[in-house]
Amino acid sequence: MTYVNPDPEPRLSTGLEPGGGVPPGETPPAESSMPEAGPQDLLSNPAKGWSKGPMAVIAAVVLIFAVGLLGYALALIY
C-alpha cells in the first residue's frame, strides 16, 4: 500500500498567507480522508459490549417487575 500525505501542499494551496493563515472571507483547504484506514478486524479483535447473559437477566427482572405492577393494579381495581 502506498502512503498518501493527507496535508495539502502549502505552495499549491490558494488563499494561504505566509505562515499558513487564511485571510478573512477565504475558505481554507479541505481535509482529506485517511486512505490507510481499512475495515475492522473482528475475527481477532471481537466487538466489546453487552453479552446475552446479562441482557437476559435484566430483561427477566424488568418483566417480573412489570408483571408485579400489573398484578398490583388489578388487585386495586377488584
Side-chain angles (χ1 to χ4, degrees):
M1 185 182 297
T2 60
Y3 175 75
V4 178
N5 186 1
D7 296 328
E9 181 64 38
R11 291 177 284 130
L12 303 177
S13 298
T14 59
L16 291 179
E17 294 177 338
V22 180
E26 183 71 31
T27 304
E31 297 178 14
S32 65
S33 64
M34 295 178 54
E36 298 87 25
Q40 293 180 347
D41 184 18
L42 296 178
L43 295 176
S44 63
N45 188 16
K48 313 250 184 320
W50 289 87
S51 63
K52 294 179 183 176
M55 288 300 287
V57 170
I58 292 171
V61 168
V62 169
L63 185 63
I64 291 170
F65 183 73
V67 169
L69 285 178
L70 182 63
Y72 182 71
L74 290 175
L76 288 176
I77 291 173
Y78 297 112

